[in-house]
Amino acid sequence: MQLLLILALFSPGAMTEAACTLQGNFKLPGLLADGDIIIGGLFPMHYRVVVPELNYTYKPAASACQGFDSRSFRWAQTMRFAIQEINENPNLLPTITLGYKIYDSCATHVAALRATLSVLNGPKEVSSMMCSGASPMKAIIGDSGSSQSIIVSRTLQPFKIPMISYIATCSCLSNRNEYPNFFRTVPNDNYQVKAIAQLVKHFGWAWVGAVSEEGDYGRYAFQALIEEFKKIGVCLAYYEVIPKVYSRKKILEILDIMKKSSAKVVISFAGEGDLYPLLTEYVQQNITGIQWIASEAWITASLFSPKEFYPSLGGTIGFAIRRGEIPGLKDFLLQVHPSLYPDNVLVKELWNTMFGCAFQPSNTTDQSVRQLPLCTGQESLEGKYSVYTDVSSPRISYNVYKAVYAVAHSLHNLINCEPGKGPFDNFTCANISNIKPYQLQHYIQKVSFTNSLGEKIGFDENGDPIASYDIMNWQRGADGKIWFVTVGLYDASEGAGNELVINEEAIIWNSDQTKARCKQPLLYALSVCTESCRHGTRKGVRRGEPLCCFDCLPCADGEISNQTDSIECIQCPMDFWSNAQRTECIPKEIEYLTYDEMGVTLTVIALFGACLTIGVLAVFLYYKNTPIVRVNNSELSFFILLSLALCFLSSIAFIGEPANWSCMFRHTVFSITFSLCISCILGKTVVVLMAFKATQPGSNIMKWFGPTQQRIMISACTSVQIIICAIWLIAMPPFPSKNTKYQSSKIILECDVGSTLAFWCVLGYIGVLACMCFVLAFLARKLPGNFNEAKYITFSMLIFCAVWIAFIPAYVSSPGKYTVAVEIFAILSSSFGLLFCIFAPKCYIILLKPEKNTKQYIMGKASASTSNKT
């Protein structure tokens, strides 16, 4: 059985019957006219596709187109009008008549392919071995959508038939390797993308949503737009795609995302047919407060002009194709009537839409049309305002008009080619009686002419025209409907930075308020993921979120930001610090121990100590011949009192702004005077100890510790400190410095010791002298009463050492001026300790117990002490 079938297929009869035949008839509605050269036309005269039921029990019907678009029907009529003008023009193609075959692409890929094949094959079924039924198609005007145009272009490429689109804007179509036969009279989306990016930047929108149709038009546009946004710091909050096949579930999901998002600006690259279901649901849900930015595909779509769209979509702004006047077009549109085209379904659908009536019998699948009253045929388009008859600002219609004339002028140039100067092999011209489509494409690429409106028409090497757009704004008209008002323009020929011109005072925003931006509150939507970081803060990136979503982090101490949305804070110069708001650098507060409350208090204490010491010296001088003064070595007492007075006064040198001289003077005077004082006390202690030794029988030790030897010992001990200080001052002297390590906001003026080793050597030497005094005085603490000054020296050295041992950690840990205050306090405390411990008991006897200041009392006390010991 199978063999018989194979033989039957390859039999001569079978071959004859299997000749080239149409496998099916799409039965597409269209507009047809014969001519010497046929131009095809593809227009989306419906904006919705209804998918038939698929139960797999019978052959499914073709997808039905619904939602008649009278605007697109006007585009198709514009093509017919242009061809009629050309055929009537004696100067343009006088020997050739143009015909056309126009079909509905229904704004979908499949319908566009069906329309393209119908244009190529013709409406009649023929059978031929050579498929000779093809019509003389030389060029096609269309399609509208970029995705559909890609399919049409690839379908036409094997035949090398050129096509000129009037609204397909995808930048991908400028790729001559992929689409060598594609031309267009509308700028490609690269320019529109740059225009939208500049618009978004102009109004400071940094956080936007995106909605596109399902296809290359939206996908390529947003790919380019995202790259532009990266350059200007704008982020997408979301990117949603409207399905080609209507799905209410998906529509509701998109609207839910829009309502929940913080983005208040939405950019949409989509055709009006794709967008209509979304915006219809958007309006029904009464969503407001979102600013729409429309692409050229729907910014002037009359589909959204009814007044019910205004509350939600009013204020929409976008870029439209430049308009152009077409004289005589409106009269041509008004001539359309069902009586002239009794079998044309498209004209009947126009009547249905315009007058709300239907013709019988109606075979439409749209139930809403079946329920309409019958049309009488007496209806007139005269005086009837509609999108179809509105030619006040033709834009896409003007692009169709230019595309038809581009083909006509290209044919005119081809026909007028001079023999021997042609562009083809061996400088030949095209055969007029058998023009090849690729030959016409060559002339379309080179065409350049000025139309009746004064506009120069031509294409660049990629098939693109010069880019220019009008900026449109949706405003409420007097009739309550949406009017498309021009509020600016974008012209790519003006050069970088000058392309965008906007009349901001003329813009109406979604809040239905005129936007006046000059130093007034913003009336347009503020669309940001995060509010701008104010001065004094910087942006902090949120992990896993877009760059437009950030935290505003305060600048650290010593850093400022004086710009909005600073990426990083600026470090203040060394002598400056940030103010409390971190908005500017201010001079740092300079701190040192001045004559403020603390400085004055320390000065008064120092002067009091010096005066008290001088008072004691005066008492001792006045009573220098009394036993209590003479027995305690009056000369050493005078030296001690003098050096103590200098010690008190040296502390005053530590107060005030440090200078070179004061830094060297304060440390030098302090160390030398203390060394002198401790040396004198050491001498006194040695004398007391040796005096006791001298009372032993046969001892002559006191001859080695007379006044001269005491002076030599004091001078020698003091000279060592003087030498250390001299080396210090010569090698690395103290100097004033600015210290910021304790408190960065302040400059602490202090005296740097220069050489830390020298500084601690000076203090260490004083400590060595004090320790020697303490040890010797401790050994002599139990001597007889008249020599018992050693116990007072022991106690004074104990206080002295305790003060300076406590000074070391306090000095190291005290910040700023308190370091100096601690040093002054140590000087004063140790000086008072020496003064009171050594001289207070003697002054008590001299001034308050004069009866004890006698030689008999002292000697008697000595005798009593001696007898008690024996």
Side-chain angles (χ1 to χ4, degrees), residues 354-393:
M354 293 280 291
F355 301 104
C357 62
F359 292 89
Q360 288 291 347
S362 179
N363 58 356
T364 179
T365 59
D366 193 340
Q367 295 298 323
S368 61
V369 175
R370 290 177 178 270
Q371 299 172 1
L372 294 176
L374 292 177
C375 297
T376 63
Q378 302 301 316
E379 297 86 2
S380 174
L381 294 175
E382 294 283 350
K384 176 72 173 180
Y385 174 81
S386 70
V387 174
Y388 170 71
T389 58
D390 182 12
V391 292
S392 58
S393 58

Side-chain angles (χ1 to χ4, degrees), residues 589-603:
E589 179 184 349
I590 297 177
E591 181 180 271
Y592 55 88
L593 188 59
T594 61
Y595 289 98
D596 54 7
E597 293 181 0
M598 183 186 297
V600 170
T601 301
L602 294 174
T603 301

Side-chain angles (χ1 to χ4, degrees), residues 56-336:
Y56 304 101
T57 60
Y58 53 84
K59 180 181 177 180
S63 299
C65 295
Q66 290 186 0
F68 185 76
D69 188 351
S70 54
R71 177 171 175 247
S72 182
F73 187 70
R74 172 175 22 103
W75 303 343
Q77 292 298 320
T78 302
M79 178 177 171
R80 294 182 62 233
F81 171 73
I83 291 176
Q84 178 179 300
E85 268 193 347
I86 294 167
N87 288 335
E88 294 174 355
N89 189 339
N91 299 318
L92 187 62
L93 301 178
T95 61
I96 291 179
T97 301
L98 297 180
Y100 54 81
K101 289 197 293 187
I102 300 173
Y103 287 104
D104 180 14
S105 63
C106 205
T108 60
H109 305 75
V110 175
L113 182 58
R114 286 189 306 184
T116 303
L117 295 176
S118 296
V119 167
L120 292 176
N121 290 307
K124 297 179 181 180
E125 296 185 21
V126 295
S127 298
S128 172
M129 290 293 293
M130 300 302 294
C131 291
S132 59
S135 60
M137 184 63 54
K138 305 305 178 187
I140 287 182
I141 307 299
D143 192 359
S144 59
S146 296
S147 297
Q148 298 93 292
S149 293
I150 288 173
I151 292 174
V152 173
S153 175
R154 287 176 173 165
T155 304
L156 297 177
Q157 281 177 28
F159 308 101
K160 298 183 180 180
I161 297 176
M163 61 179 292
I164 304 179
S165 176
Y166 45 88
I167 196 174
T169 59
C170 180
S171 59
C172 59
L173 288 164
S174 296
N175 186 338
R176 269 293 181 246
N177 294 325
E178 292 286 334
Y179 311 102
N181 61 333
F182 180 82
F183 299 87
R184 52 184 156 195
T185 54
V186 61
N188 80 56
D189 278 335
N190 279 342
Y191 295 102
Q192 187 174 197
V193 161
K194 292 178 181 178
I196 288 178
Q198 287 193 30
L199 182 74
V200 169
K201 180 181 178 182
H202 179 81
F203 290 110
W205 295 319
W207 184 238
V208 300
V211 176
S212 78
E213 65 177 42
E214 184 180 19
D216 296 310
Y217 171 59
R219 182 171 67 253
Y220 278 96
F222 277 111
Q223 283 179 0
L225 190 60
I226 289 170
E227 292 301 318
E228 290 294 324
F229 280 170
K230 288 179 180 178
K231 299 176 184 177
I232 61 175
V234 177
C235 302
L236 282 184
Y238 55 85
Y239 175 43
E240 295 298 319
V241 177
I242 305 170
K244 277 291 182 185
V245 178
Y246 175 73
S247 170
R248 190 167 190 272
K249 179 181 178 183
K250 180 61 178 177
I251 295 296
L252 294 177
E253 288 177 359
I254 295 174
L255 293 178
D256 188 57
I257 291 172
M258 292 174 63
K259 289 188 290 185
K260 291 180 179 179
S261 175
S262 59
K264 299 303 179 185
V265 173
V266 177
I267 302 171
S268 178
F269 278 86
E272 57 188 286
D274 296 285
L275 205 56
Y276 182 78
L278 176 72
L279 294 186
T280 301
E281 187 68 34
Y282 179 86
V283 171
Q284 289 176 356
Q285 294 190 19
N286 195 28
I287 302 173
T288 58
I290 293 179
Q291 176 64 46
W292 286 84
I293 299 178
S295 66
E296 91 299 334
W298 66 282
I299 184 62
T300 56
S302 56
L303 194 62
F304 307 118
S305 62
K307 57 185 179 181
E308 58 265 21
F309 284 94
Y310 186 82
S312 295
L313 296 177
T316 295
I317 192 169
F319 294 88
I321 302 158
R322 299 296 295 273
R323 63 185 294 273
E325 299 293 337
I326 306 177
L329 176 60
K330 186 167 185 178
D331 293 336
F332 181 84
L333 297 175
L334 294 176
Q335 293 174 7
V336 175

Side-chain angles (χ1 to χ4, degrees), residues 285-554:
Q285 294 190 19
N286 195 28
I287 302 173
T288 58
I290 293 179
Q291 176 64 46
W292 286 84
I293 299 178
S295 66
E296 91 299 334
W298 66 282
I299 184 62
T300 56
S302 56
L303 194 62
F304 307 118
S305 62
K307 57 185 179 181
E308 58 265 21
F309 284 94
Y310 186 82
S312 295
L313 296 177
T316 295
I317 192 169
F319 294 88
I321 302 158
R322 299 296 295 273
R323 63 185 294 273
E325 299 293 337
I326 306 177
L329 176 60
K330 186 167 185 178
D331 293 336
F332 181 84
L333 297 175
L334 294 176
Q335 293 174 7
V336 175
H337 195 277
S339 62
L340 300 177
Y341 308 95
D343 298 325
N344 194 292
V345 176
L346 296 175
V347 175
K348 291 181 178 180
E349 287 196 70
L350 173 67
W351 232 248
N352 294 340
T353 305
M354 293 280 291
F355 301 104
C357 62
F359 292 89
Q360 288 291 347
S362 179
N363 58 356
T364 179
T365 59
D366 193 340
Q367 295 298 323
S368 61
V369 175
R370 290 177 178 270
Q371 299 172 1
L372 294 176
L374 292 177
C375 297
T376 63
Q378 302 301 316
E379 297 86 2
S380 174
L381 294 175
E382 294 283 350
K384 176 72 173 180
Y385 174 81
S386 70
V387 174
Y388 170 71
T389 58
D390 182 12
V391 292
S392 58
S393 58
R395 299 178 188 276
I396 300 176
S397 297
Y398 183 55
N399 280 355
V400 174
Y401 187 77
K402 290 189 293 183
V404 175
Y405 266 90
V407 173
H409 277 275
S410 300
L411 283 170
H412 186 81
N413 295 337
L414 182 149
I415 293 171
N416 292 323
C417 173
E418 295 184 25
K421 296 182 180 180
F424 307 114
D425 294 340
N426 299 320
F427 304 101
T428 59
C429 295
N431 184 356
I432 299 176
S433 61
N434 188 22
I435 298 173
K436 305 296 184 184
Y438 76 87
Q439 294 173 327
L440 177 58
Q441 178 177 329
H442 172 82
Y443 281 94
I444 292 176
Q445 181 69 68
K446 302 293 183 181
V447 74
S448 179
F449 65 97
T450 302
N451 64 13
S452 59
L453 303 179
E455 181 180 355
K456 187 174 182 180
I457 309 299
F459 305 99
D460 63 14
E461 64 276 6
N462 296 320
D464 294 328
I466 299 172
S468 62
Y469 300 95
D470 287 332
I471 302 176
M472 309 303 295
N473 183 224
W474 289 12
Q475 301 183 10
R476 189 194 299 272
D479 56 357
K481 294 183 178 181
I482 292 177
W483 286 6
F484 309 122
V485 180
T486 302
V487 293
L489 61 90
Y490 179 90
D491 191 344
S493 63
E494 291 296 327
N498 300 317
E499 305 97 331
L500 192 68
V501 178
I502 302 177
N503 181 10
E504 296 185 14
E505 286 73 18
I507 298 176
I508 299 294
W509 299 100
N510 188 254
S511 59
D512 204 16
Q513 294 176 319
T514 300
K515 189 308 191 149
R517 194 170 182 228
C518 299
K519 297 183 180 180
Q520 294 184 15
L522 299 180
L523 300 176
Y524 59 91
L526 182 64
S527 185
V528 292
C529 179
T530 306
E531 294 291 336
S532 295
C533 291
R534 65 181 188 279
H535 294 190
T537 62
R538 65 172 178 85
K539 290 183 178 180
V541 178
R542 293 179 183 173
R543 189 181 300 275
E545 296 190 31
L547 292 178
C548 297
C549 299
F550 48 83
D551 294 316
C552 294
L553 305 177

Side-chain angles (χ1 to χ4, degrees), residues 559-580:
E559 296 180 346
I560 65 163
S561 68
N562 51 14
Q563 297 179 1
T564 303
D565 288 335
S566 293
I567 297 176
E568 58 183 14
C569 298
I570 304 170
Q571 185 72 41
C572 288
M574 183 172 293
D575 290 345
F576 289 81
W577 195 248
S578 55
N579 60 357

